[in-house]
C-alpha cells in the first residue's frame, strides 16, 4: 500500500471508533433512563406523588445519582406513557392513574376495584351462539353446541377500562339472560345459579395490539398495546364454567400478585 494511503486509513479508523463510542454512550444513557423510569413509575403507581408535582429534575438527579439528561429522558418516557405531564410554572405532575388488579385471588372486577370506584357494565352482545372448537374443548361441551356468549364494555368511574368476551355453558348461562349484568359481576351470579362457590382459575396474561374494534370501544389509540387476560374459571367441584378474554387498557390497569416459593 502506498505510504500516502496509510494516514487516510488511520483517520477513517479513528472516526469509526468515535462514532462507535458515541453510540455506546447513547445506548448506556438510554438504558439508565429506562431504569430510572421504572423506579419512578413504581412510585407513581403506589401514590408517592399524589400531593404535588414530582421533585425537580436536579433533585431527582441527586437522589438517583443520575445526570440531568438521564432524568429528562426518563420523564420523557413517562410522558409518552401518559402518566405525567410538564406544566409551566408547576413542574412535572401525575396526570393519569393506574388501578391495581390482583392476580393472587379469584375475584370479579367490581370486587377487585371496589376501593377505587364504581364498576359498571355495558352489555354490547348477549345470547346463545355455537361454541368454536377451542371454546367447546375448554368448557367440556360438545363441539358446535350452543354456549352463552357475552360481550361487555366495563367502565370504572365512567372511564372505559376493559372489553370482556365471555363464554358460559348454556345450562348455566341461560339464567344469566334475565340477570342484572350491568351492575353485577358474572362471578357472583354464577355462584348464585349453581349454588356452589367458584374454585380456581387458569390465567394467561400477555400484551397484544388493539384491533380497530377494541380500540374504538375502549376509546384507545388504534394499535395501542392492551393487556389481554385469558381466564378459565372452574367451580369448586372442578367443572369449567366461564371462559373469558379480557382486554384491559394498559394505561389504566396494573397487575400485581404475591408469589411464594415452596
Amino acid at each position: 500500500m502506498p505510504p500516502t494511503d496509510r494516514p487516510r486509513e488511520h483517520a477513517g479508523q479513528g472516526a469509526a471508533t468515535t462514532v462507535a463510542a458515541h453510540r455506546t454512550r447513547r445506548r448506556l444513557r438510554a438504558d439508565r433512563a429506562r431504569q430510572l423510569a421504572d423506579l419512578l413509575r413504581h412510585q407513581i403507581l403506589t401514590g408517592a406523588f399524589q400531593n404535588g408535582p414530582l421533585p425537580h429534575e436536579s433533585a431527582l438527579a441527586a437522589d438517583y445519582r443520575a445526570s440531568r439528561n438521564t432524568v429528562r429522558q426518563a420523564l420523557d418516557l413517562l410522558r409518552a406513557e401518559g402518566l405525567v405531564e410538564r406544566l409551566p410554572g408547576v413542574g412535572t405532575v401525575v396526570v393519569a392513574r393506574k388501578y391495581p388488579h390482583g392476580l393472587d385471588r379469584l375475584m370479579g372486577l367490581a370486587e377487585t376495584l371496589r376501593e377505587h370506584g364504581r364498576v359498571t357494565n355495558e352489555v354490547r352482545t348477549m345470547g346463545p351462539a355455537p361454541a368454536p372448537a377451542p371454546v367447546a374443548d375448554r368448557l367440556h361441551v360438545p363441539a358446535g353446541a350452543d354456549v352463552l356468549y357475552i360481550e361487555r364494555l366495563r367502565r370504572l368511574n365512567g372511564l372505559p377500562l376493559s372489553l370482556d368476551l365471555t363464554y358460559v355453558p348454556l345450562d348455566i348461562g341461560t339464567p344469566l339472560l334475565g340477570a342484572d349484568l350491568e351492575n353485577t359481576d358474572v362471578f357472583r351470579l354464577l355462584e348464585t345459579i349453581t349454588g356452589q362457590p367458584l374454585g380456581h382459575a387458569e390465567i394467561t396474561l400477555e400484551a397484544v395490539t388493539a384491533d380497530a374494534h377494541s380500540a374504538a370501544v375502549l376509546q384507545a389509540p388504534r394499535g395501542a398495546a392492551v393487556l389481554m387476560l385469558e381466564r378459565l374459571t372452574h367451580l369448586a367441584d372442578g367443572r369449567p364454567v366461564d371462559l373469558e378474554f379480557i382486554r384491559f387498557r394498559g394505561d389504566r390497569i396494573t397487575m400485581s400478585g404475591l408469589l411464594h416459593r415452596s
Side-chain angles (χ1 to χ4, degrees):
M1 179 181 294
T4 53
D5 288 342
R6 289 172 186 167
R8 190 176 303 162
E9 177 187 356
H10 292 162
Q13 290 175 345
T17 301
T18 300
V19 170
H22 179 65
R23 288 175 177 171
T24 298
R25 287 194 295 271
R26 288 181 59 187
R27 180 182 60 78
L28 291 175
R29 186 163 61 243
D31 288 344
R32 288 192 290 268
R34 185 171 57 252
Q35 293 163 8
L36 177 55
D38 290 343
L39 297 174
L40 292 174
R41 186 187 301 104
H42 175 76
Q43 289 191 282
I44 290 170
L45 297 180
T46 54
F49 307 116
Q50 285 185 346
N51 298 323
L54 274 66
H56 192 269
E57 289 177 1
S58 59
L60 290 173
D63 288 344
Y64 291 95
R65 298 182 180 180
S67 69
R68 290 282 294 274
N69 283 338
T70 297
V71 171
R72 292 192 187 101
Q73 284 187 319
L75 294 177
D76 285 343
L77 291 174
L78 297 176
R79 275 195 289 272
E81 294 177 23
L83 283 179
V84 302
E85 191 55 79
R86 184 165 183 80
L87 302 180
V90 177
T92 300
V93 298
V94 177
V95 293
R97 184 180 180 189
K98 290 192 177 186
Y99 297 93
H101 187 295
L103 293 176
D104 45 10
R105 290 191 62 193
L106 182 55
M107 296 191 297
L109 192 64
E111 294 175 302
T112 301
L113 300 177
R114 62 181 180 276
E115 297 179 359
H116 303 285
R118 182 167 178 259
V119 172
T120 56
N121 310 310
E122 176 189 331
V123 180
R124 298 174 54 82
T125 303
M126 183 177 185
V135 172
D137 180 64
R138 299 188 69 186
L139 288 177
H140 296 175
V141 300
D146 279 353
V147 293
L148 181 66
Y149 172 75
I150 311 169
E151 179 181 314
R152 293 169 296 163
L153 169 62
R154 315 198 70 184
R155 294 184 175 92
L156 177 62
N157 299 324
L159 294 176
L161 183 62
S162 71
L163 178 63
D164 298 15
L165 312 182
T166 303
Y167 301 88
V168 180
L170 198 58
D171 63 312
I172 296 175
T174 298
L176 292 176
L177 292 171
D180 181 15
L181 288 179
E182 292 187 357
N183 300 292
T184 311
D185 277 339
V186 168
F187 278 2
R188 288 192 177 276
L189 295 171
L190 290 176
E191 290 181 321
T192 299
I193 291 169
T194 62
Q196 62 173 302
L198 299 175
H200 70 279
E202 304 153 18
I203 64 171
T204 301
L205 181 65
E206 61 181 323
V208 300
T209 301
D211 59 275
H213 169 71
S214 299
V217 173
L218 291 171
Q219 297 177 20
R222 184 172 181 176
V226 295
L227 285 176
M228 164 73 86
L229 177 66
E230 180 183 327
R231 180 170 60 196
L232 177 62
T233 302
H234 302 252
L235 293 173
D237 64 7
R239 181 186 177 185
V241 292
D242 183 299
L243 176 60
E244 295 175 282
F245 298 88
I246 307 172
R247 290 169 172 83
F248 287 101
R249 279 191 54 151
D251 58 345
R252 291 180 180 164
I253 202 78
T254 179
M255 300 291 179
S256 61
L258 178 64
L259 304 179
H260 296 277
R261 183 170 181 172
S262 56

